[in-house]
Amino acid sequence: EVTGGVHGSNRLGGNSLLECVVFGRIAGERAATVKHFEPVMFPDAKSDDGHSESKWVPVVLREVRNTDKKYGMNTREVRFNMHGSLQHSGMDIGQFIALRGELDGETLMGYFSPITRPSDEGVIGLLARADSKGGPITRLLELSRPGSTLYMCAMGGLRLKFEPERILFRGSD
């Protein structure tokens, strides 16, 4: 009853009971992710070669946002839930993400830049093209709906580390 609050004294009406089921499920799923024991989604991101099957992690699509005004025409922000709501990616700034999924029996893969910070918790956002120039993975992302599962892997890239008096590039001075 705590989660079904907009109907006031009509707590047992049809809409409010359905609301309790829907929001209760959402609250339960969220509560289950808080106690996730892995603080980092990609613990081996610092040494990832991107070819090992064990490094691919299943992720659930959270939402797709139109970002034409913010990042330019034909772009979308694709956001995925991490396994724990307090989990962060463990990647360095400048690394990119490989995303893999199946469409009509064909495995499609694309490479994307994360636009969420490495320290952001519970979600990872990728910037993706929404037109045919984004490659075949664009069609997969277009047909995916919230709740769909795809696979993600941390890849290479610039790997910048910021320290108080210097910036490290790929771990060298």
Side-chain angles (χ1 to χ4, degrees), residues 71-83:
Y71 296 111
M73 294 299 293
N74 298 317
T75 59
R76 303 284 182 271
E77 180 183 359
V78 185
R79 296 174 68 92
F80 293 92
N81 286 333
M82 293 187 183
H83 297 146

Side-chain angles (χ1 to χ4, degrees), residues 3 6 8 16 19 32 40 69 72 95 132-133 142 147 149:
T3 61
V6 299
S16 63
E19 200 173 81
V40 178
K69 289 182 181 177
Q95 278 187 277
S132 60
K133 292 181 182 178
E142 181 182 317
T149 300

Side-chain angles (χ1 to χ4, degrees), residues 28-115:
E29 288 173 352
R30 184 72 175 168
T33 65
V34 171
K35 289 294 266 182
H36 194 276
F37 295 110
E38 280 290 328
V40 178
M41 186 164 174
F42 301 109
D44 51 356
K46 310 298 187 230
S47 63
D48 196 341
D49 62 1
H51 301 293
S52 174
E53 283 295 312
S54 65
K55 296 176 183 173
W56 287 92
V57 177
V59 290
V60 176
L61 179 64
R62 179 181 189 158
E63 64 183 328
V64 178
R65 294 180 178 177
N66 185 344
T67 56
D68 285 348
K69 289 182 181 177
K70 189 172 184 178
Y71 296 111
M73 294 299 293
N74 298 317
T75 59
R76 303 284 182 271
E77 180 183 359
V78 185
R79 296 174 68 92
F80 293 92
N81 286 333
M82 293 187 183
H83 297 146
S85 60
L86 300 177
Q87 195 175 38
H88 59 90
S89 71
M91 298 172 57
D92 291 329
I93 294 175
Q95 278 187 277
F96 58 94
I97 293 282
L99 193 62
R100 182 177 74 184
E102 282 197 22
L103 181 64
D104 297 330
E106 182 180 358
T107 300
L108 303 174
M109 190 161 63
Y111 302 94
F112 302 95
S113 298
I115 55 176

